[in-house]
Amino acid sequence: MVREIELKILPHERTDEDLIRRRLAAKCRVPEQQISAIQTRRRSVDARGSRPFFLIRYAVFLNETPPAEAPLLKGLRVLDETAPEAIVIGAGPAGYFAALELLEKGIRPILYDRGKTVRDRRRDLRAIQQFGEVNPHSNYCFGEGGAGTYSDGKLYTRSHKRGNIEKALRLLVEHGAKSDILVDAHPHIGSNKLPVIVANIRASIEQYGGEIHFGCQMTDLLLRDGKVEGVVINETEEKRAAAVVLATGHSARDVYYLLHRRGVRIEAKPFALGVRIERPQPLSDRIQYGQSPREAALPASSYRLACQVEGRGVFSFCMCPGGLVVPAATAPGEIVVNGMSLSRRDSPYANSGTVVAVELEDLADYQQHGVFAGVEFQRSVERAMFGAGDGSQRAPAIRLTDFSRQKPSANLAETSYIPGLFSAPLYDLLPPSIYQRLQRGVRVFGKKMKGYYTAEANVIGTESRTSSPLRIPRDGQTLMHEEVAGLFPCGEGAGYAGGIISAAMDGQNVARAVARFYD
Ligand SMILES: Cc1cc2nc3c(=O)[nH]c(=O)nc-3n(C[C@H](O)[C@H](O)[C@H](O)COP(=O)(O)OP(=O)(O)OC[C@H]3O[C@@H](n4cnc5c(N)ncnc54)[C@H](O)[C@@H]3O)c2cc1C
């Protein structure tokens, strides 16, 4: 017999297995000896009261052994060159999870990515961090594992209806992630662990017959009579297949321009843009847990805030407690920031994107760019941030209270951002529609969360790549482009995902759609 029991566990009790067993036995009203196994099913932190605690749901096995779970990939047939092939462009979460699913369906994925392997990518990340040099094919967004590899690795998603979250998480565990991610309410991997997991996924794809080619940029599509016949790689090599999965992420602006040039319909869609706000982690812990330093067992605290200002959402996004702010530009001449953290989340800083929703009607000044109005709006802000600086990846910043009062900061708070910050009037550099809403938004947040509105926080420009400003429209049933047979827009760049797990699930869904198309 198996009983599901939920316990409130104080932080210092969390590793006390005897105590937990005793409490579970008491709740089940059985002697402890009858408990043959205990499994954690769900774990979250409740910090609403005066003392934070863990809420943990256990499966208690009484005189019964838990069933062993079969690995998801083991037993797959290794495909050879006689198997049908599909081209996958992009080795991000969408592309890699599509490739794994294609293998399950007996289709050989032939994958191309413009960037480098996780290992070789590191050198280019160092060049951005230390010398301000941005390689347009290898950076925080491009290369093996896509934007997901050197990301924060938060795996929380609200996209429950979009696919099988558990399968995506189990595949990550099979490739080296801790099994904690299967039970934590807010699972997290960390950017020090992700590269190994991504490399293990590559090994699986190759082991079961897939191919992965790096340094291979898709520069054109082979189109004929309303269908795709393949792609052109690096302007020279034609690669043919009846299905092309386009999983190039939302920073590959060249891909959108290519589609438009080739008459493949794309659509403008709403997105969000703003800043990243960084503050000392102990300050966040004091606000959230009422304690600093926090008890060792408690995770670095995070928060999530949202309000409406003049008809637009202002919200915090992609919180990285115990994290670092990183330069996420994909081309020289722009400043884009994002956040990540290591698995222990032990840096002394907490950062979070704070952005404003941008609707299509907010882009009147960019109408001359047609469908690209949103892209050009993003680009103009990223360039303004770069133009205010010294030509490096140093980012413009201002103390939060000065930001709101429109007053230059004489100096800045300490930061985790390695290229460095310089004091700049972000209230002038941001478009007025964004600045004014952020200005009011952060004051509202200060009322919702005492201690939020503080001079100890830096506001850093700019968080411009939260979501795609374009959609590559696809049919809801076939998941193919509405007008191009065989072309499968996929993941965040296609506008059908936002985040690692939703992109991974979209990859799986698209792979199943490719299998149906081949059938
Ligand atoms: C610093 C940072 C931190 C983040 N933290 C989190 C987080 O904690 N949790 C979360 O859920 N999300 C996070 N994200 C967002 C997340 O990484 C993305 O949502 C996700 O990676 C999108 O997956 P994707 O496969 O659709 O696209 P991408 O990951 O963008 O992958 C696209 C791939 O396509 C390749 N490509 C592009 N153009 C071409 C071309 N023409 N030819 C060949 N290849 C091409 C690129 O090299 C890249 O590898 C973070 C992003 C960043 C940058």
Side-chain angles (χ1 to χ4, degrees), residues 222-245:
L222 301 173
L223 300 168
R224 195 157 62 164
D225 301 334
K227 55 180 202 258
V228 71
E229 294 189 333
V231 296
V232 177
I233 297 295
N234 294 339
E235 292 179 356
T236 50
E237 293 169 66
E238 289 191 359
K239 305 287 178 188
R240 291 184 181 270
V244 173
V245 176

Side-chain angles (χ1 to χ4, degrees), residues 11 291 293-299:
Q291 45 176 264
R294 64 176 187 273
E295 287 171 85
L298 284 173

Side-chain angles (χ1 to χ4, degrees), residues 89-94 112-114 141-143 146-148 150-154 216-218 247-249 252 255 318 326 338-339 491-492 499-500 503:
I89 305 294
Y112 299 97
D113 195 284
R114 70 199 298 164
C141 296
F142 294 162
Y150 296 97
S151 75
D152 191 36
K154 283 181 292 294
C216 288
Q217 181 185 7
M218 179 196 71
T248 46
V255 172
C318 184
V326 294
N338 209 312
E492 192 163 33
I500 296 168

